[in-house]
Amino acid sequence: MGFEFWMFLSLVYVSHFHFHGLSLAEKAPYYSFVHEAAMAPEVSFYDYIIIGGGTAGCPLAATLSESANVLVLERGGSPYENPSKPDKGNFFPNLLDVSPSSYAQEFTSEDGVYNARARVLGGGSVINAGFYSRAEPEFLKQAGLNEALVNYSYQWVEKKIAFEPPMLQWQSALRDGLLEAGVLPNNGFTFDHIYGTKIGGTIFDGDDHRHTAADLLEYANPYRIKVYLHATVEKIIFETKVFSRTRAQGVVFEDELGKKHWALLTKDYKSEVILSAGALGSPQLLMLSGIGPSQQLKKFGIKVVMDQPMVGQGLVDNPLNVLLVPSPSPVELSLVSFVGITRFGSYIEACSGISFTPSWSRSVAKALAAILNQTEQSSTKLFQEGILNPESLLDTRIRGGIIFEKVKDPISSGYLELRNMNPRDNPKVTFNYFQAPEDLMKCVHGVKIAIDAVYSKSFSNFRYEILSAKALLELIVNLPLNQRPRHLTSAFSLEKFCMDTVMTIWHYHGGCRLGKVVDRDYNVLGVEALRIVDGSTFTSSPGTNPQATVMMLGRYMGLKILQERYFGKYRKK
């Protein structure tokens, strides 16, 4: 494997045992290093400044703090202020929360699709459905990652936050329905990405309490790290000299009271600013700092530090389409516990017994009651009650489940543009869903498989026989899932259904792609002391759900950066 590999592992094990020998995080007050940004000094100096305390930023910061002084700037608050708020039963209410202090900042893409961007320490791991699954080998190979260190980094994450989920009746029945529908084989429980059905990991423990990337800060050396909450970075500061490459010097950030602060790099030439603000935040902040398409920057009066036309390009969201299936039998509260991984490029997952906000529950119940009213056999007591009182079918907790169909590796891609110069506002985002016919065919095939699973023998106890597949499609068509126009044939044509009812699965990626904006070591091309470590660098979404790989990458790159800091770069001969 070469000298570089063994030097690499020596750093891993030395830092690991050195840290655990001290047990610093266990002896120090829990998260004694997390403060409100208003407590930050006006000017401060650090070896590493990480912009974004999210899914990648937290493990990255914890790792770097083992041997260097680290600052994390998170624009949101703490998930620990209300420990039960991120838990399993609050999944949808948290996503639909539009209050200023919510964990999710809503936005609507230019395609008319509702979306949400994490705004909390721990990032998307605080608001997602909790599924934990590793990347496929092809993704890791394409990214040029070292297999041994990848596995070590996954395991480091999994010790803190990954669990085996329970498989209760509803989820088990649907999994068996997918097996009947031909999504084979049954692989049981595994973190690995394998064709067929599998039970994956979850970040919810046995008490339905969520564990997030923020928990990985328990690994941090509390004497070498500062985390500031409600710290909004306005721009990265650069040093530009004639005949020298542009170099990051630090950042300017604003606290919740509107006061500005300057965080600067130490004079050590190995110190760095690291962007971990996600697929929206990282390209947006690069542009606000003067790195991006010059024509767009000049439009807003931003001084061009470097013309980089690929910043914001290649932005992709994996299209999501769903079926809502009312159940005559009681269902458990469950988020994603298993996945069907098809060979044609579609992933099928599910949840059940979840809670909506009251307004969404009424929308779902009324749409369902309207469909049942058209059904000749709707004289049963349940349906009579549903038509007279829609809330009896679905109070705030759904009596049934939702089946998700996600298109893997869509060819269709879009772009991100600045909306204004306010870093608190979301940029303009266009994903161009189903622009490529191949993506649409994957969706059609995936929805067919999902329907076959619903009408399988295994799932018969959890569906109403009088509700046809057309009725299930019509129910979704009539819900306010997005702002896109509906075709009259949406419930009859799966092509129209996919286009009209497309949603996000919050797995958007790109905007600072590997090979286009950053190199193989995630350095920003043409700039010194600036890296990007997050999903904006991805050319595809890893695995069925990206969070495991994003957290792994934070740990992985933290170790790589420390290796460069103390041993330099070693190349295979």
Side-chain angles (χ1 to χ4, degrees):
M1 293 184 182
F3 182 64
E4 178 185 11
F5 175 80
W6 293 113
M7 287 296 292
F8 208 162
L9 281 190
S10 72
L11 174 68
V12 171
Y13 290 113
V14 167
S15 63
H16 178 80
F17 288 115
H18 171 71
F19 165 73
H20 285 282
L22 292 175
S23 299
L24 292 171
E26 295 174 6
K27 292 180 180 178
Y30 187 65
Y31 286 4
S32 58
F33 48 82
V34 179
H35 306 285
E36 290 294 326
M39 297 179 63
E42 186 174 358
V43 180
S44 55
F45 294 86
Y46 295 89
D47 297 322
Y48 296 100
I49 299 170
I50 299 174
I51 304 172
T55 318
C58 287
L60 175 64
T63 301
L64 292 176
S65 75
E66 294 176 13
S67 302
N69 294 320
V70 180
L71 172 66
V72 179
L73 298 171
E74 169 52 47
R75 71 192 188 108
S78 169
Y80 303 112
E81 290 181 0
N82 185 351
S84 64
K85 186 177 179 182
D87 288 350
K88 185 180 289 186
N90 295 323
F91 169 58
F92 271 108
N94 279 333
L95 279 175
L96 300 173
D97 181 4
V98 297
S99 67
S101 61
S102 68
Y103 295 156
Q105 182 181 9
E106 65 168 350
F107 71 96
T108 302
S109 74
E110 302 302 298
D111 315 91
V113 172
Y114 302 125
N115 213 314
R117 174 187 176 192
R119 181 175 53 189
V120 61
L121 186 68
S125 65
V126 180
I127 61 173
N128 64 20
F131 198 58
Y132 184 97
S133 185
R134 294 184 178 188
E136 59 272 45
E138 295 81 7
F139 176 91
L140 302 172
K141 184 177 180 181
Q142 186 181 28
L145 301 178
N146 179 284
E147 182 179 357
L149 192 65
V150 163
N151 290 333
Y152 172 86
S153 299
Y154 273 129
Q155 292 164 10
W156 181 88
V157 172
E158 289 155 10
K159 287 177 183 177
K160 283 284 184 188
I161 68 167
F163 307 89
E164 181 177 353
M167 281 293 288
L168 303 180
Q169 291 86 356
W170 196 91
Q171 291 267 342
S172 296
L174 186 57
R175 176 202 57 196
D176 294 344
L178 283 176
L179 292 170
E180 282 188 50
V183 184
L184 299 167
N186 180 359
N187 294 297
F189 170 69
T190 179
F191 289 145
D192 294 334
H193 187 93
I194 307 174
Y195 287 117
T197 65
K198 72 160 195 167
I199 302 167
T202 180
I203 60 175
F204 293 102
D205 63 24
D207 296 322
D208 290 345
H209 176 66
R210 182 189 292 267
H211 295 257
T212 74
D215 292 10
L216 298 174
L217 289 173
E218 293 173 11
Y219 281 120
N221 180 336
Y223 304 113
R224 291 194 170 199
I225 185 172
K226 287 286 185 186
V227 177
Y228 288 122
L229 304 176
H230 300 111
T232 302
V233 176
E234 294 187 342
K235 65 177 181 179
I236 303 166
I237 306 168
F238 295 102
E239 178 185 38
T240 56
K241 293 181 180 179
V242 180
F243 305 122
S244 296
R245 295 179 77 182
T246 298
R247 184 178 183 85
Q249 286 186 307
V251 304
V252 180
F253 67 96
E254 192 173 83
D255 63 32
E256 64 271 32
L257 303 177
K259 182 180 177 181
K260 293 187 188 306
H261 304 257
W262 284 260
L264 304 175
L265 295 176
T266 59
K267 292 184 179 181
D268 188 330
Y269 76 97
K270 294 179 180 178
S271 297
E272 300 178 7
V273 174
I274 306 175
L275 265 169
S276 292
L280 270 63
S282 288
Q284 178 189 25
L285 195 53
L286 275 185
M287 291 183 191
L288 291 175
S289 304
I291 296 179
S294 59
Q295 189 173 11
Q296 186 179 161
L297 303 186
K298 291 175 182 177
K299 174 184 173 183
F300 289 95
I302 299 171
K303 179 183 176 182
V304 179
V305 174
M306 185 175 70
D307 180 19
Q308 176 36 296
M310 296 310 297
V311 173
Q313 298 298 308
L315 194 68
V316 175
D317 190 12
N318 295 79
L320 174 77
N321 291 86
V322 304
L323 297 175
L324 174 60
V325 184
S327 172
S329 302
V331 298
E332 68 267 15
L333 167 62
S334 69
L335 294 182
V336 179
S337 300
F338 78 95
V339 61
I341 301 176
T342 70
R343 293 185 179 274
F344 60 82
S346 180
Y347 301 145
I348 300 171
E349 302 170 341
C351 61
S352 64
I354 56 176
S355 295
F356 289 137
T357 61
S359 61
W360 269 74
S361 294
R362 284 191 291 273
S363 296
V364 173
K366 288 178 180 178
L368 179 57
I371 292 169
L372 296 175
N373 197 25
Q374 301 169 10
T375 306
E376 293 180 2
Q377 302 178 53
S378 63
S379 58
T380 66
K381 181 179 179 182
L382 170 68
F383 296 148
Q384 287 175 342
E385 290 177 354
I387 294 164
L388 295 173
N389 178 22
E391 284 80 356
S392 69
L393 286 171
L394 293 165
D395 41 38
T396 57
R397 187 171 179 270
I398 181 174
R399 195 196 313 167
I402 298 175
I403 304 172
F404 307 89
E405 186 280 331
K406 167 187 169 180
V407 173
K408 170 181 168 58
D409 292 339
I411 299 171
S412 308
S413 69
Y415 53 91
L416 176 151
E417 297 177 313
L418 292 178
R419 187 179 303 277
N420 53 41
M421 293 182 63
N422 187 349
R424 289 182 171 83
D425 292 343
N426 286 311
K428 293 173 64 177
V429 177
T430 303
F431 291 115
N432 290 323
Y433 296 102
F434 298 125
Q435 188 179 59
E438 297 91 332
D439 299 339
L440 186 59
M441 290 303 100
K442 286 183 183 179
C443 176
V444 168
H445 199 169
V447 172
K448 284 180 179 177
I449 293 290
I451 291 173
D452 288 345
V454 170
Y455 287 90
S456 67
K457 180 179 179 181
S458 298
F459 198 68
S460 58
N461 290 335
F462 294 99
R463 70 168 186 273
Y464 288 104
E465 292 295 338
I466 68 169
L467 279 180
S468 64
K470 175 181 171 297
L472 294 181
L473 297 176
E474 188 177 348
L475 171 58
I476 295 299
V477 169
N478 288 329
L479 292 177
L481 300 178
N482 59 38
Q483 295 179 359
R484 294 163 72 89
R486 301 290 193 268
H487 293 85
L488 293 176
T489 57
S490 294
F492 298 90
S493 163
L494 288 183
E495 287 84 356
K496 297 293 191 298
F497 175 82
C498 285
M499 290 188 292
D500 291 357
T501 66
V502 65
M503 301 168 65
T504 182
I505 196 168
W506 309 285
H507 294 171
Y508 41 86
H509 54 276
C512 297
R513 287 196 172 200
L514 195 68
K516 303 292 185 181
V517 177
V518 299
D519 64 19
R520 287 278 182 168
D521 293 318
Y522 299 90
N523 298 295
V524 175
L525 296 169
V527 182
E528 297 287 344
L530 180 63
R531 294 194 210 226
I532 303 175
V533 178
D534 60 26
S536 71
T537 64
F538 292 168
T539 56
S540 63
S541 183
T544 56
N545 302 68
Q547 71 166 342
T549 302
V550 176
M551 287 187 273
M552 177 279 292
L553 185 66
R555 172 62 171 173
Y556 181 102
M557 284 308 301
L559 292 169
K560 288 278 285 183
I561 292 167
L562 288 181
Q563 179 213 12
E564 291 178 14
R565 186 175 189 86
Y566 293 106
F567 297 115
K569 292 185 179 181
Y570 292 87
R571 302 295 181 190
K572 293 179 182 179
K573 295 182 179 180

